[in-house]
Amino acid sequence: MHVTDELLHDLIDKRRYLHEHPELAFKEVNTTKKLKDWLSENDIAVLPYDLDTGVIAEIKGEKEGPTIAIRADIDALPIKEEAAVPFPSKNNGVMHACGHDFHTVSVLGAAILLNKHRDRLYGTVRIIFQPAEEIAQGAKSLVDKGVLEGVKAIFGMHNKPDLPVGTIGVKSEGLMASVDKFDITFNGIGGHAGIPHHTIDPIVMASHYVTSVQSIVARRLDLFHNAVVSITSINGGNTWNVIPDKVVLQGTVRTFQPEARDAIPRMMKQLAISIAEGYGGTVEFKWDAYLPVVNNDRAYEEVIQNTVKGLEYELVDAEPSAAGEDFAFYQTYIPGYFVWMGVDGPNEWHHPEYDLNEDAIKVAVAFFATLAVNALEQEAE
Ligand code: NI
């Protein structure tokens, strides 16, 4: 589908407006208002979901078929902009340093194009402008409001500064790691350091745990699964001659396979209990499931590859990232696919001098509009 110069220039203006007016997670009030205006100016229906921020729109094709969704995240970060752009943030201390302004206008552009080509759609395209990705709560809040009801599959992207414009990174299964947090408290009995047989020493339990826990990755995980278990904080004791009554460990686990994500906390808990009991103590194991794996469904790999090739953009194998992304929540309910969009930026995500090449807007608009047509056609077959 052809992106006219007129549409592209309009989207660049809108992106610069959003860049000048970034808003933090769940505070995207002005962005939401602007999106509603822009959608209605283009005769695109906004669905009546009761959302404080974020917008759900829909384009109904002229042919019968299922509903698929395209999602863009719309929030910014608490970072003071240092990029030398002619349209810097006017909201001091807040910056679109992850390129969500680019995601927003690209998906808006795809919606505008699709609305003009409803005759080519075998079904409906739901457009999800999602708040609060940066705090990993936006996707979940929309799922709770029912925005995935009746949706067969969902597609999304993240810009990728280290890929050139016109390059799209595709990889089935784990693309972005799950992010989980834990707190483990080893409880013993405190007492005199010179009389340890009257104590149960939690420092010894915790010390064994810190070294043994790495054996879960090395000895218990499938060779073809991978994970990082990092213990990042140890707290216990406050002087040289007293054995404390407890030691608290904190840390994080990252992995790319949902199976590994399920197995690791069970193994970690089992090890913690057995070490604590082995030394006569007890343990409290607190697991905080933060973000699932961005787990791309192989069933859509071919249609995505064919879309990229058909538009004569460059298809590359996506390099996975250990950063998390809350698109993963949608994929725990319905199949989805998330891609890298090359933007040729000078810095990585969340950098105060983050910037991108706006030529990528044209690529992203054409990609999502064409993908929607192709994916619905695939479902119709
Ligand atoms: Ni981001």
Side-chain angles (χ1 to χ4, degrees), residues 55-56 68-75 100 103-104 106-108 125-134 136 138-140 142 147-148 153-158 176 291 294 324-330 337-338 368:
V55 183
I56 315 298
I68 58 163
I70 304 173
R71 171 273 207 173
D73 43 9
I74 65 171
D75 58 329
H100 297 185
H103 302 165
T104 303
S106 297
V107 171
L108 175 69
V125 182
R126 192 166 296 175
I127 305 288
I128 298 175
F129 292 106
Q130 180 211 300
E133 193 286 324
E134 295 293 358
K140 197 173 176 306
L142 294 187
V147 306
L148 288 189
I154 184 163
F155 302 96
M157 66 156 158
H158 209 288
M176 296 182 83
L291 272 175
V294 171
E325 162 59 70
D326 87 348
F327 186 82
F329 274 111
Y330 302 117
Y337 215 106
F338 196 74
F368 278 106

Side-chain angles (χ1 to χ4, degrees), residues 46-73:
V46 172
L47 298 185
Y49 285 101
D50 173 28
L51 308 176
D52 292 331
T53 58
V55 183
I56 315 298
E58 203 164 83
I59 296 141
K60 212 166 157 40
E62 288 176 10
K63 299 163 193 165
E64 281 301 304
T67 300
I68 58 163
I70 304 173
R71 171 273 207 173
D73 43 9

